[in-house]
């Protein structure tokens, strides 16, 4: 008998699950996908680079159109919002967003929740004014580009200095706007430790941006025409012609919570390793709406990254087709850039390592991206966390110029394979002057951490 699979959400996880299930069990499954938006299978991570002009148009960010999915055999219904889920009756209720379709219900044998994340948008006075934008969907990108094209914006204020914040600050700089970045934290980019964040702040200031940290946004001033004119903080008011919100995201789990599904401490849906929702054999979830286990802290974490979302979808689709897939957890590896500065991180930072109960040492080194005598040599800073006594690599962070950031993948691979910093010093990494010093920054950082571990006074047994 054909199994009816209903997928809520038509982006990375949802469409990957749908296509994988059909590819492996096309005669045994019938797949319907309900998507609220106008687009399917697109790269939200690319939106800042579309706005900056690095990417020519929004179509370049679309991996597969609704028509292509339908040709593959998926019943993809766009502009269709799910309004309720009944897990006992195995029914999903939906409505037509534009009002020209039909509302209704659809029964399922298996349900896949790929509802993504929701951008934080605090209820501040004036936040809904014209000229205040979030950056979550292609529709958001279109709106920002239209606003910048149609108007004469000169001053941009970016609220939040995380991934989206610094990337949108770069986009505004490349569009020749005067940029001010506001963040509550002591240093920008809280995904790395404050000492490394200070390097990011200094570099951004050196690029002509104004970076104000430790400030709290109180509201937005609005002109008689309904457009934002300034951002009020606990210090003063920053004039603004356009405001971009980069305050982060939270798992979009309202429907799932109302349906009685378990939400973890991180705010994401709790699943097992097969991405099945806790307590429900036929309800699956993946992507930005779930929490998964961190391989070092062993805690549930919600990390919104397309890399994880696509893997979750493939695992869910494999299981729906009768195979076996399991998600092994995450390290929180990520990379970003602001103009010429690259930022990478993996594993645990100091606060995370402390919360997980680790005793650790930290070391920081400065090196270059290529041989110091080679043209174009630029400085990079590398920070390493290693467990006391064992020397197990716990985390790494990199802030540097061209070709620095992707070195974080070497550290991520080492953590994934439970290497200690002493082992890392002997890794056979490539070398040639145009690519690296003879002692690559990864090896130098590992060697310094190994010495710190050796020098650590061992704890006396009780």
């Amino acid at each position: 008998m054909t199994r009816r699979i209903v997928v809520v959400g038509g982006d990375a996880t949802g469409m990957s699950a749908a296509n994988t299930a059909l590819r492996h069990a096309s005669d045994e499954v019938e797949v319907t996908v309900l998507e609220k938006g106008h687009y399917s299978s697109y790269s939200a991570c690319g939106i800042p680079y579309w706005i900056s002009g690095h990417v020519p148009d929004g179509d370049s960010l679309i991996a597969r159109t609704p028509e292509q999915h339908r040709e593959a055999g998926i019943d993809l219904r766009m502009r269709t919002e799910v309004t309720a889920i009944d897990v006992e009756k195995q029914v999903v209720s939906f409505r037509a967003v534009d009002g020209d379709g039909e509302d209704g219900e659809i029964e399922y044998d298996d349900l896949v929740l790929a509802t993504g994340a929701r951008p934080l948008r605090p209820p501040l006075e004036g936040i809904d004014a014209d000229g205040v934008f979030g950056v979550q969907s292609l529709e958001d990108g279109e709106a920002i580009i239209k606003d910048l094209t149609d108007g004469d914006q000169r001053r941009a204020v970016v609220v939040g200095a995380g991934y989206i914040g610094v990337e949108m600050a770069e986009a505004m700089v490349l569009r020749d706007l005067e940029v001010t970045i506001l963040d509550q934290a002591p240093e920008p980019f809280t995904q790395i430790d404050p000492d490394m964040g200070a390097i990011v702040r200094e570099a951004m200031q050196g690029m002509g941006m104004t970076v104000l940290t430790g400030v709290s946004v109180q509201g937005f001033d609005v002109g008689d025409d309904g457009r934002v004119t300034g951002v009020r903080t606990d210090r003063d008011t920053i004039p603004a012609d356009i405001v971009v919100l980069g305050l982060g995201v939270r798992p979009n789990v309202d429907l799932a919570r109302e349906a009685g599904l378990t939400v973890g401490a991180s705010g994401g849906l709790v699943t097992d390793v097969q991405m099945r929702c806790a307590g429900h054999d036929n309800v699956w979830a993946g992507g930005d709406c779930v929490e998964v286990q961190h391989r070092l802290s062993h805690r549930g974490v919600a990390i919104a990254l397309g890399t994880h979302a696509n893997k979750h979808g493939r695992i869910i689709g494999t299981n729906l087709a009768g195979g076996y897939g399991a998600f092994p957890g995450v390290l929180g590896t990520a990379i970003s850039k602001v103009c010429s500065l690259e930022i990478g991180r993996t594993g645990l930072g100091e606060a995370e390592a402390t919360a997980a109960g680790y005793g650790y040492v930290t070391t920081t080194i400065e090196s270059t991206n290529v041989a110091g005598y080679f043209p174009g040599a630029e400085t990079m800073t590398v920070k390493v966390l290693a467990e006391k006594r064992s020397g197990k690599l716990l985390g790494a962070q990199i802030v540097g110029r061209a070709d620095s950031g992707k070195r974080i993948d070497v550290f991520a691979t080492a953590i994934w394979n439970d290497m200690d910093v002493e082992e890392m010093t002997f890794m056979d990494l490539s070398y040639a002057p145009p690519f690296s010093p003879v002692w690559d920054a990864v090896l130098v950082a590992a060697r310094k951490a190994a010495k710190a571990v050796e020098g650590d006074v061992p704890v006396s047994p009780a």
Side-chain angles (χ1 to χ4, degrees), residues 21-281:
L22 273 179
R23 186 163 58 249
H24 294 296
S26 58
D27 295 333
E28 302 169 18
V29 298
E30 174 186 286
V31 182
T32 301
V33 178
L34 309 177
E35 165 56 42
K36 181 180 177 180
H38 292 90
Y39 303 99
S40 65
S41 299
Y42 64 88
S43 172
C45 300
I47 294 171
Y49 305 108
W50 172 27
I51 295 170
S52 71
H54 284 106
V55 176
D57 51 52
D59 289 345
S60 302
L61 302 179
I62 299 173
R64 192 171 294 184
T65 65
E67 291 73 21
Q68 289 173 313
H69 285 301
R70 292 174 186 132
E71 289 171 4
I74 298 170
D75 178 11
L76 174 54
R77 306 181 189 181
M78 304 299 295
R79 304 294 286 156
T80 302
E81 180 182 14
V82 172
T83 56
I85 298 168
D86 189 325
V87 294
E88 298 300 326
K89 295 180 180 179
Q90 299 186 184
V91 170
V92 171
S93 301
F94 60 87
R95 72 177 187 89
V97 174
D98 296 325
D100 54 359
E102 293 185 2
D103 301 348
E105 296 181 343
I106 183 170
E107 297 180 351
Y108 65 84
D109 295 308
D110 286 282
L111 176 66
V112 179
L113 298 176
T115 49
R118 182 170 292 162
L120 290 178
R121 198 176 179 94
L124 298 174
E125 182 183 2
I127 197 168
D128 294 323
D130 292 342
V132 180
F133 297 95
V135 189
Q136 178 74 6
S137 64
L138 287 188
E139 290 92 339
D140 294 333
E142 289 173 340
I144 293 172
I145 290 174
K146 184 178 188 302
D147 191 84
L148 291 170
T149 302
D150 293 348
D152 186 28
Q153 281 61 271
R154 291 284 180 256
R155 300 165 300 182
V157 175
V158 179
V159 182
Y163 294 111
I164 289 295
V166 298
E167 290 165 2
M168 285 303 300
E170 172 185 358
M172 294 299 162
V173 166
L174 293 176
R175 281 183 165 265
D176 295 325
L177 273 71
E178 176 187 315
V179 177
T180 300
I181 302 155
L182 309 177
D183 200 89
Q184 278 189 309
E187 298 292 352
F189 216 85
T190 55
Q191 293 83 1
I192 57 179
D193 292 333
D195 55 335
M196 298 293 279
I199 301 172
V200 176
R201 172 177 50 79
E202 291 168 5
M204 294 173 76
Q205 290 170 335
M207 298 169 192
M209 304 179 196
T210 300
V211 183
L212 303 179
T213 56
V215 299
S216 174
V217 173
Q218 307 293 306
F220 302 87
D221 288 345
V222 183
D224 293 338
D225 60 354
R227 186 174 183 88
V228 67
T229 60
V231 181
R232 298 196 305 275
T233 76
D234 53 353
R235 297 182 190 174
D236 50 23
T237 297
I238 313 299
D241 300 315
I242 184 171
V243 174
V244 177
L245 303 177
L247 296 169
V249 297
R250 292 291 181 270
N252 184 8
V253 296
D254 291 348
L255 280 173
R257 184 185 283 112
E258 291 168 5
L261 300 178
T262 302
V263 176
S266 70
L269 290 170
V270 176
T271 65
D272 61 19
V273 295
Q274 293 188 65
M275 308 308 298
R276 204 165 23 203
C277 288
H280 297 271
D281 289 342

Side-chain angles (χ1 to χ4, degrees), residues 388-399:
K388 287 184 176 180
R389 302 184 70 176
S390 75
K392 177 180 178 179
L393 180 63
L394 296 178
Q397 300 164 31
I398 298 174
V399 177

Side-chain angles (χ1 to χ4, degrees), residues 338-355:
V338 52
C339 297
S340 61
L341 190 75
E342 300 179 359
I343 310 160
R345 60 96 62 210
T346 190
L348 303 175
E350 290 196 50
E352 295 166 315
T354 299

Side-chain angles (χ1 to χ4, degrees), residues 280-301:
H280 297 271
D281 289 342
N282 67 336
V283 182
W284 313 75
D288 297 352
C289 66
V290 305
E291 72 171 29
V292 291
Q293 188 180 64
H294 196 289
R295 289 171 65 93
L296 289 173
S297 71
H298 307 294
R299 297 182 176 186
V301 293

